[in-house]
Amino acid sequence: MALVKVRYGAILSVALFILVFALLCIYGRGFFTAENLVRSLLIPASMSAVIACGMTLVMIGGGIDLSMGATAGLGALAGAALGTKVVSSIAAAMFSGMFLGSLNGFFIALMGINPFIVTLTTSFVAKGLQFLVSLQKAQSTALLWSLPMDRIGSSASFQIGTSLFVVIFLYVFIGKTKYGRYVKAIGENSEVAIYSGIPVRFYSWMTYVIGSVLAGLSGVMLTSYEGLVRVGSGDNFLLDAFLLPLLGKAVFGRLSIGGTVFAALFLAMIVNGLYILGLPPSWVNAMKGVLLFGMVVVSQVGRR
Amino acid sequence: MYRFKPIFQYSIFVLIGFLLVLFVALVPGFGNLRNLLGMLAQAAVTSVAAYGLAIIMIGGEIDLSFAGSFPLLAYIFARQLSTGSEFFIAIATILVLGFVIGLINAATVVYMRVPSFLATAVMMFLLTGLYFAISGGHTIYIKGYYGFLFGFWGPIPKITLLLLILTVVLHMLTEHTQWGVVLKAIGENPEYAFRIGVNVSSVKLIAFALGGVLFSVAALIAAIRLSSATGTLGSQVLLPVMASAFMSTVVGSGKPNIWGALVASYLLQVIACGFGTLGLPFWATPMAQGLLLLFLVALANVGEKRGIGQVSLG
């Protein structure tokens, strides 16, 4: 067994990141300005990093949560409908996330049902709740944020600060506490974890709760930046949440908060760079797909 | 509890029966044959795509790319028709494109060994992006082909009959041919299948290609049914198709299977149709679909060995 495994994929990917960044600095007019880096790179990256870090925790525990997109949407709608102040909005969003997360966790960790099936079905439930909240509040499928929340949502320090807090919290939680180790152990081998005396069901349940709370929070971050919440606002987040941890894993060989954040930054940089280089907006998504595809293939170099 | 397991295993049929009786009692005209078969016709898009996904899942992989190939292929189909191509040439183009997408998926998953979740999710991104790139987000309407699939042969909608034939064919293919059995073996344990001399790569390649073709057929049906090709098609089908394919494991053997996918997508359609005609509020349908599916899964799980639920992401 090789003691030191050189991950050519990781080295190549990081080199690619630096190369793309450098090229954009040289050729992209206005790329390397504080305004652009904060508004168009860090803020989108921090929104998707929050939900993707929640998913990373769930995935490290050996699960998956496909209801996160719907949960993010529900959190945003609940926040906009119930809260008039900043704190109460965010609390409402996180509580609705907690509700769905504990529902998921109950069926997955306590009843032992396949996470795919459970979270798929709860995403239907969350979609229904989105319509319910929105129609009850305003007879329409879109709500406006309250003024204070709107103002704080468009500030860069709120977006990036929240994201930084979440990232650091989860990094410490997973990497430096025994609870994080429990979650890792469960993800590696739940049978062994049981025999090591770890309360497997509780910690598995907990990953879903934390993940969904973060999903609700990221829903608030996204929609308060835009000022408007629609039913289905969070749907696009599902892909981010799902893709970023796996990209991080493809690059660094295992699921980690660092890898997820790297993937979020990389993706945001690609999108920003393509816009700045003057690609027509309708082509940006296609190019993003092509580059992602290339990156995934490159990251597999030297594997097996 | 194990003694009662078969009863719980087939609870989905009890639920469908119960819902049908309920809706027949409450909604006039719900119980006539035309409506019952019509619901099967409306479930065709979800079912056919779920067949493709189920076949790939039998082989132990997954394919999410259909949510991207749906809008793209439907758009290409609609544009070909609107620019005056022959109907069958348009269909052939779509099928070939679906086949090629399946082959690309297989190439990345089987030969480059990218985990299928990641590879096909990225493929979904790529195809959705391509759709927006070539269409600019515009919707194309097509006229005059609705009757081709959704017309009637006597009392039976054409599409219902075609769907049932396809179901039987795919059932035979996955359960009663050598290829199907080998595919199952690969899904159970690829390592052992390889050791006993199965050509794992080529079997999986065929599964992905077949899945790609089935997705393109489903996209075709969707385009004809809606008489248009819109960009939201992909996100609309993503969850129902995945739910149907995964729910098929609840029906019967505990593995993904063709009949299970049909039954599950029919259940979703019955709920949507029943609640729609009852005039219940808009939010009730997805909620009822979710809660009933959850209830079913919980029932089917009675008497299972209770670990925690986990998935392997490759």
Side-chain angles (χ1 to χ4, degrees), chain B residues 26-151:
Chain B
L26 290 177
V27 182
F30 194 90
N32 64 31
L33 189 65
R34 203 182 157 115
N35 184 50
L36 292 179
L37 292 175
M39 284 191 296
L40 203 52
Q42 297 301 320
V45 176
T46 319
S47 323
V48 174
Y51 294 166
L53 185 52
I55 288 175
I56 292 167
M57 278 167 61
I58 292 174
E61 302 285 354
I62 197 164
D63 191 345
L64 304 175
S65 67
F66 66 88
S69 63
F70 253 70
L72 181 67
L73 294 181
Y75 176 81
I76 294 175
F77 178 66
R79 196 167 74 168
Q80 282 212 309
L81 287 184
S82 67
T83 52
S85 291
E86 198 70 33
F87 184 57
F88 288 99
I89 292 180
I91 291 184
T93 315
I94 299 308
L95 295 183
V96 169
L97 281 176
F99 182 73
V100 170
I101 292 172
L103 284 186
I104 297 174
N105 282 331
T108 44
V109 173
V110 178
Y111 295 105
M112 289 188 236
R113 296 181 184 274
V114 182
S116 57
F117 277 106
L118 183 59
T120 58
V122 170
M123 190 50 128
M124 162 162 65
F125 249 124
L126 212 169
L127 294 174
T128 314
L130 265 183
Y131 160 75
F132 279 108
I134 62 171
S135 75
H138 299 299
T139 301
I140 292 192
Y141 296 95
I142 43 180
K143 272 197 221 91
Y145 296 101
Y146 190 77
F148 172 73
L149 277 182
F150 289 85

Side-chain angles (χ1 to χ4, degrees), chain B:
Chain B
M1 243 9 200
Y2 280 103
R3 223 156 25 111
F4 300 110
K5 184 135 179 48
I7 304 176
F8 290 111
Q9 195 84 71
Y10 293 104
S11 51
I12 190 167
F13 296 105
V14 180
L15 181 68
I16 290 185
F18 171 75
L19 284 174
L20 284 178
V21 170
L22 184 76
F23 290 140
V24 166
L26 290 177
V27 182
F30 194 90
N32 64 31
L33 189 65
R34 203 182 157 115
N35 184 50
L36 292 179
L37 292 175
M39 284 191 296
L40 203 52
Q42 297 301 320
V45 176
T46 319
S47 323
V48 174
Y51 294 166
L53 185 52
I55 288 175
I56 292 167
M57 278 167 61
I58 292 174
E61 302 285 354
I62 197 164
D63 191 345
L64 304 175
S65 67
F66 66 88
S69 63
F70 253 70
L72 181 67
L73 294 181
Y75 176 81
I76 294 175
F77 178 66
R79 196 167 74 168
Q80 282 212 309
L81 287 184
S82 67
T83 52
S85 291
E86 198 70 33
F87 184 57
F88 288 99
I89 292 180
I91 291 184
T93 315
I94 299 308
L95 295 183
V96 169
L97 281 176
F99 182 73
V100 170
I101 292 172
L103 284 186
I104 297 174
N105 282 331
T108 44
V109 173
V110 178
Y111 295 105
M112 289 188 236
R113 296 181 184 274
V114 182
S116 57
F117 277 106
L118 183 59
T120 58
V122 170
M123 190 50 128
M124 162 162 65
F125 249 124
L126 212 169
L127 294 174
T128 314
L130 265 183
Y131 160 75
F132 279 108
I134 62 171
S135 75
H138 299 299
T139 301
I140 292 192
Y141 296 95
I142 43 180
K143 272 197 221 91
Y145 296 101
Y146 190 77
F148 172 73
L149 277 182
F150 289 85
F152 285 85
W153 280 320
I156 306 169
K158 289 179 192 170
I159 183 74
T160 306
L161 203 62
L162 294 175
L163 177 66
L164 289 176
I165 294 172
L166 181 69
T167 311
V168 172
V169 169
L170 290 179
H171 173 77
M172 298 302 273
L173 179 70
T174 51
E175 303 284 333
H176 298 291
T177 63
Q178 192 194 2
W179 180 80
V181 174
V182 168
L183 185 67
K184 269 190 181 179
I186 291 173
E188 288 289 327
N189 195 326
E191 183 70 29
Y192 285 0
F194 178 72
R195 294 270 179 245
I196 59 171
V198 169
N199 189 342
V200 174
S201 309
S202 73
V203 172
K204 274 191 184 173
L205 183 84
I206 296 172
F208 271 103
L210 184 59
V213 171
L214 286 171
F215 296 150
S216 67
V217 172
L220 199 81
I221 301 173
I224 291 179
R225 181 184 139 196
L226 299 169
S227 296
S228 65
T230 58
T232 52
L233 204 53
S235 50
Q236 277 167 13
V237 294
L238 178 62
L239 287 181
V241 169
M242 282 184 77
S244 302
F246 276 100
M247 284 300 291
S248 74
T249 60
V250 173
V251 183
S253 62
K255 299 281 164 210
N257 59 79
I258 300 296
W259 283 110
L262 180 67
V263 172
S265 61
Y266 190 63
L267 173 67
L268 287 177
Q269 191 59 43
V270 167
I271 297 172
C273 182
F275 276 58
T277 47
L278 270 179
L280 286 178
F282 201 46
W283 48 266
T285 305
M287 202 104 124
Q289 286 175 334
L291 288 176
L292 285 174
L293 288 187
L294 206 52
F295 173 67
L296 268 183
V297 176
L299 267 189
N301 236 50
V302 167
E304 285 284 337
K305 189 168 77 78
R306 297 277 187 81
I308 54 170
Q310 286 189 312
V311 293
S312 128
L313 294 169

Side-chain angles (χ1 to χ4, degrees), chain A residues 48 236 239-240 243-244 247 266-272 274-275 279 282-295, chain B residues 122 125-126 129-130:
Chain A
S48 44
N236 289 335
L239 271 179
D240 277 359
L243 202 61
L244 297 180
L247 266 181
F266 200 108
L267 213 59
M269 182 178 75
I270 287 177
V271 173
N272 180 229
L274 290 175
Y275 276 115
L279 201 71
S282 56
W283 274 96
V284 166
N285 273 323
M287 261 328 273
K288 183 174 148 189
V290 171
L291 289 176
L292 271 178
F293 199 76
M295 183 178 160
Chain B
V122 170
F125 249 124
L126 212 169
L130 265 183

